[in-house]
Amino acid sequence: MAADDAPETVTEALAQLERDGYVADFNIERGALACPACQHECPIDQAIIERVYRFEGPSDPADEAIVLGLRCPGCGIKGTYVSSFGPNADPEAMAGLGYLAGRHTPAPTASPPVPPSGA
């Protein structure tokens, strides 16, 4: 994987996030995001989502997974949350993941130049 390429596997995504300082391993417990560093339990709607990677198995829906790069609003530590996605996922995790992934807004990217009209 080149530095500017999107990761192709969960392992590559986790390695990239770790290089970028995402070192904690978050969990969803009782409907809240649990920080392993400060033990803060953050309601899902207050989680700070910085990166989202979704992987789909080429032929098997059981291979679907999602990797989130998160930041704890309590202590600021950056970490990850990984879960299966789709029919084999834990229902509580899926409810939280659906909400988290829907809230993520990627950083704006430069738009390609618009050619002059008539060109």
Side-chain angles (χ1 to χ4, degrees):
M1 175 183 84
D4 293 337
D5 292 338
E8 294 181 18
T9 66
V10 170
T11 302
E12 287 178 358
L14 289 171
Q16 180 177 337
L17 287 166
E18 186 175 355
R19 283 191 303 273
D20 293 342
Y22 293 83
V23 296
D25 185 16
F26 287 95
N27 290 302
I28 294 178
E29 298 173 0
R30 297 177 298 282
L33 191 67
C35 177
C38 69
Q39 282 67 52
H40 178 73
E41 289 193 5
C42 166
I44 295 293
D45 64 346
Q46 294 176 15
I48 301 168
I49 305 101
E50 297 182 335
R51 308 229 187 128
V52 175
Y53 300 104
R54 183 172 172 183
F55 300 93
E56 297 180 9
S59 61
D60 184 358
D63 290 341
E64 294 179 349
I66 190 164
V67 177
L68 300 176
L70 305 165
R71 187 164 33 93
C72 175
C75 68
I77 193 168
K78 296 192 306 186
T80 58
Y81 179 80
V82 181
S83 179
S84 59
F85 198 83
N88 294 331
D90 170 41
E92 180 182 25
M94 282 302 296
L97 285 174
Y99 185 84
L100 288 172
R103 285 190 55 240
H104 174 256
T105 356
T109 57
S111 301
V114 177
S117 59

